Amino acid sequence: VYERIFLWYVFFGMSTSHPRRLTQAEFAHHYGVVPRACVDILIVVEEGILLTRRALPSWNGQWHLPGGTLLYGEFVEDAARRVARDELSVEIKIHRLVGYIQYPSKENGWPLSLVFLATMRDPGADIVLDHQATEYRFFDVLPDPMLEEHARFCRGLGDISLLCDSVRFGDL
């Protein structure tokens, strides 16, 4: 399967230097047989972590980390920066990779997401959401309802307030 997808990209001239989004049909075809590579962003400010309330049909109304699919030919850190720009209209500074999240969901392509710890380059920047979210907030305690996999991941990091303190004291 992997060889067929790679050959498809090679023979049909897909450039790795110009990432593009898959059509819905391509998404269903490819991610029906291989896992989907994604990125999630754990954006930390003094007040808490930034979460958005999902507007899309999958996980609608649940709080979650901003994130998205890695585009073919895109470096993972570039994908995290793109997601921040596309979903939040902000520029971020990536500090480090903090882990990964697996989503056992066949309807969403069985995602495997790399999670990056980040801060906003301009903490006072206006956040403008795209169509994927209805609202955003900064949380120092995890909210309910929250996407189960994201809540489990965040709980595994320990006390959110300690992450916020690291921003406050310049330790990131």
Side-chain angles (χ1 to χ4, degrees):
V1 173
Y2 295 107
E3 291 172 353
R4 283 186 288 175
I5 291 172
F6 174 74
L7 291 175
W8 185 81
Y9 282 113
V10 171
F11 285 112
F12 290 101
M14 285 297 298
S15 168
T16 60
S17 62
H18 293 89
R20 74 167 184 91
R21 298 179 194 283
L22 296 176
T23 66
Q24 197 63 30
E26 290 171 330
F27 182 96
H29 173 75
H30 295 306
Y31 298 133
V33 294
V34 297
R36 181 165 59 114
C38 298
V39 294
D40 284 314
I41 317 164
L42 180 64
I43 299 176
V44 181
V45 299
E46 289 183 20
E47 296 83 15
I49 61 172
L50 187 148
L51 300 175
T52 59
R53 189 183 293 267
R54 188 127 168 121
L56 298 178
S58 57
W59 304 303
N60 184 280
Q62 294 188 51
W63 291 99
H64 76 300
L65 299 168
T69 301
L70 180 68
L71 302 179
Y72 185 81
E74 185 175 41
F75 291 100
V76 291
E77 288 188 359
D78 292 339
R81 289 183 193 94
R82 173 185 50 81
V83 165
R85 280 191 305 274
D86 290 354
E87 294 188 11
L88 308 167
S89 300
V90 299
E91 296 295 327
I92 60 170
K93 178 180 179 184
I94 296 173
H95 295 278
R96 64 180 177 271
L97 177 69
V98 290
Y100 66 92
I101 301 173
Q102 296 181 79
Y103 303 84
S105 168
K106 290 181 182 175
E107 69 194 42
N108 289 305
W110 203 273
L112 172 64
S113 189
L114 301 177
V115 184
F116 290 95
L117 179 65
T119 51
M120 292 174 30
R121 288 209 176 269
D122 177 2
D126 288 332
I127 294 173
V128 179
L129 300 174
D130 72 355
H131 69 283
Q132 298 181 59
T134 57
E135 64 179 304
Y136 75 91
R137 288 190 202 159
F138 296 101
F139 293 93
D140 59 356
V141 174
L142 298 179
D144 190 39
M146 185 172 177
L147 183 59
E148 178 184 339
E149 292 83 359
H150 287 190
R152 187 176 324 120
F153 180 82
C154 290
R155 281 192 299 271
L157 294 175
D159 190 345
I160 293 173
S161 66
L162 295 178
L163 281 175
C164 300
D165 286 345
S166 64
V167 171
R168 189 174 301 116
F169 299 118
D171 293 337
L172 281 183

